[in-house]
């Protein structure tokens, strides 16, 4: 199969007064959440198409045992391919020190550790307590400092807005755990609505508190669209200063502990919302929607979502016009 060439890389879009970073998590969060395994060649084509659309940060896989997640058995090869694209931050998830060591050996720019705000979700997801995961994070950060100080370590606090196993997660516990992660060495700590229970008022309140607690180490918003509030919650996070947002092409992915979940916030819809508001994403919508083709080719029959791809762009739409 022929991969995209450098000639396909998106041309710069005129930047407005403000901008956001869209972090594409489909090749990790999306692919590990579906039963089918996308062939490696299709993964590489999909990543090429995402880069061609202008995405500058992509989470390309998880460094976990292949027997647990066969969808991620080729993650080192996928990382090596993603690294051939200059200017793109290549991320991977690692649940422990061993995984982080493998990820850094493969060359990733950033390692993400899954730390759950919900005590029940932590045990179900990684079979460790929250305190044990903070210890794991500390070991990863110390090893990174000694071996690869240029690699970033981030945490997205999952179930920060509620948990289908536990129910409500006290906000004070979320802030306590965020502070523990920062103290343990995380460069950034974001908040994830893993089970789609967040609402905009809660998002504004919790991210405001997170920024007051961590300052510049307060990280990204990772929202799910389980109850239809994904975009509203992203906008609420933007309103209080968040400028990095996770999203998944076609809304692929989700949490197995969230019944009825349709998946992550749809990258196409998120980009359209920001661009329509005059907020630059650096992502070309037409090329982004074209990236759905290699996704569907690699996962035939898998449902994907997105209102913008279905409706199409408005008549006379010119990307960047709102900001100018």
């Amino acid at each position: 199969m022929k991969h995209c060439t450098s000639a396909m890389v998106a041309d710069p879009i005129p930047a407005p007064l403000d901008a956001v970073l869209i972090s594409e998590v489909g090749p990790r969060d999306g692919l590990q959440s579906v039963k089918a395994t996308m062939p490696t060649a299709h993964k590489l084509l999909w990543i090429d198409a995402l880069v061609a659309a202008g995405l500058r940060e992509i989470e390309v896989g998880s460094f976990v045992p292949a027997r647990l997640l066969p969808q991620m058995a080729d993650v080192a090869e996928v990382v090596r391919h993603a690294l051939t694209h200059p200017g793109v931050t290549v991320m991977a998830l690692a649940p422990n020190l061993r995984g982080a060591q493998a990820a850094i050996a493969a060359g990733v720019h950033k390692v993400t550790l899954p730390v759950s705000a919900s005590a029940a979700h932590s045990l179900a997801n990684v079979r460790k307590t929250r305190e044990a995961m903070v210890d794991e994070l500390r070991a990863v950060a110390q090893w990174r400092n000694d071996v690869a100080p240029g690699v970033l370590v981030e945490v997205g606090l999952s179930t920060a807005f509620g948990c289908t196993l536990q129910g409500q997660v006290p906000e004070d516990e979320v802030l306590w755990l965020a502070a523990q992660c920062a103290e343990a060495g995380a460069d950034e700590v974001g908040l994830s609505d893993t089970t789609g229970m967040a609402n905009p008022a809660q998002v504004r309140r919790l991210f405001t508190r997170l920024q007051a607690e961590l300052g510049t180490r307060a990280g990204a918003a990772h929202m799910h669209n389980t109850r239809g509030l994904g975009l509203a919650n992203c906008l609420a996070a933007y309103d209080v200063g968040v400028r990095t947002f996770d999203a998944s092409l076609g809304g692929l992915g989700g949490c197995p502990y969230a019944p009825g979940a349709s998946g992550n916030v749809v990258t196409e819809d998120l980009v359209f919302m920001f661009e329509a508001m005059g907020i630059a994403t650096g992502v070309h919508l037409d090329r982004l929607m074209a990236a759905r083709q290699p996704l569907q080719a690699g996962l035939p029959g898998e449902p994907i979502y997105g209102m913008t791809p279905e409706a199409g762009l408005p008549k006379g739409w010119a990307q960047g016009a709102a900001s100018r």
Side-chain angles (χ1 to χ4, degrees), residues 205-238:
R205 185 171 62 247
L206 202 47
F207 268 107
T208 298
R209 293 187 64 186
L210 181 74
Q211 291 162 351
E213 181 73 33
L214 301 188
T216 58
R217 288 210 251 182
H222 180 113
M223 299 298 171
H224 284 213
N225 202 42
T226 309
R227 292 169 177 81
L229 293 179
L231 288 182
N233 287 330
C234 286
L235 185 56
Y238 176 85

Side-chain angles (χ1 to χ4, degrees), residues 9-324:
V9 174
D11 300 322
I13 299 171
L17 297 177
D18 211 345
V20 295
L21 174 66
I22 307 297
S23 182
E24 173 61 44
V25 301
R28 194 281 299 177
D29 195 2
L31 293 184
Q32 77 171 42
S33 301
V34 299
K35 292 182 179 179
T37 297
M38 180 183 281
T40 304
H42 284 87
K43 288 185 184 181
L44 306 187
L45 285 172
W46 184 23
I47 289 171
D48 290 342
L50 293 170
V51 174
L55 286 155
R56 293 169 286 139
E57 182 170 287
I58 304 175
E59 190 177 33
V60 301
S62 299
F63 281 83
V64 295
R67 61 181 172 79
L68 298 178
L69 274 178
Q71 302 96 318
M72 297 289 126
D74 58 357
V75 61
E77 180 180 352
V78 175
V79 166
R80 286 193 295 270
H81 178 80
L83 290 170
T84 65
H85 292 289
V88 175
T89 299
V90 178
M91 300 171 54
L93 180 139
N96 50 38
L97 176 59
R98 184 175 180 180
Q101 290 171 333
I104 291 172
V108 300
H109 303 122
K110 186 185 291 189
V111 177
T112 302
L113 267 75
V115 180
S116 298
S118 156
H121 184 268
S122 185
L123 292 172
N125 192 42
V126 294
R127 300 179 183 177
K128 292 181 180 178
T129 65
R130 296 174 297 178
E131 292 82 0
M133 278 305 298
V134 171
D135 289 340
E136 198 72 37
L137 167 63
R138 183 174 289 106
V140 169
Q142 289 175 348
W143 188 85
R144 180 276 311 266
N145 292 344
D146 293 338
V147 175
V151 174
L152 296 175
V153 175
E154 75 165 22
V155 167
L157 284 182
S158 57
T159 61
F161 299 92
C163 174
T164 52
L165 299 174
Q166 175 178 309
Q168 290 188 343
V169 178
E171 292 184 9
D172 286 349
E173 289 190 18
V174 176
L175 273 295
W176 162 79
L177 189 57
Q180 290 289 305
C181 290
E183 186 276 331
D187 297 295
E188 293 181 8
V189 181
L191 302 178
S192 300
D193 183 26
T194 314
T195 56
M197 297 172 70
N199 65 73
Q202 183 187 21
V203 169
R204 290 190 188 96
R205 185 171 62 247
L206 202 47
F207 268 107
T208 298
R209 293 187 64 186
L210 181 74
Q211 291 162 351
E213 181 73 33
L214 301 188
T216 58
R217 288 210 251 182
H222 180 113
M223 299 298 171
H224 284 213
N225 202 42
T226 309
R227 292 169 177 81
L229 293 179
L231 288 182
N233 287 330
C234 286
L235 185 56
Y238 176 85
D239 286 343
V240 294
V242 177
R243 292 298 180 266
T244 301
F245 298 86
D246 294 354
S248 177
L249 194 79
L252 191 70
C255 176
Y257 307 110
S262 59
N264 294 289
V265 166
V266 176
T267 306
E268 302 92 302
D269 293 340
L270 185 63
V271 169
F272 176 76
M273 180 186 77
F274 280 129
E275 291 287 345
M277 295 171 63
I279 300 165
T281 64
V283 181
H284 286 250
L285 270 165
D286 53 353
R287 297 181 185 182
L288 183 65
M289 290 191 284
R292 291 165 68 96
Q293 191 280 326
L295 166 58
Q296 291 175 301
L299 289 176
E302 187 69 35
I304 60 173
Y305 304 90
M307 306 303 290
T308 303
E310 280 201 24
L313 297 175
K315 185 176 181 179
W317 169 267
Q319 190 158 357
S323 64
R324 293 194 296 272

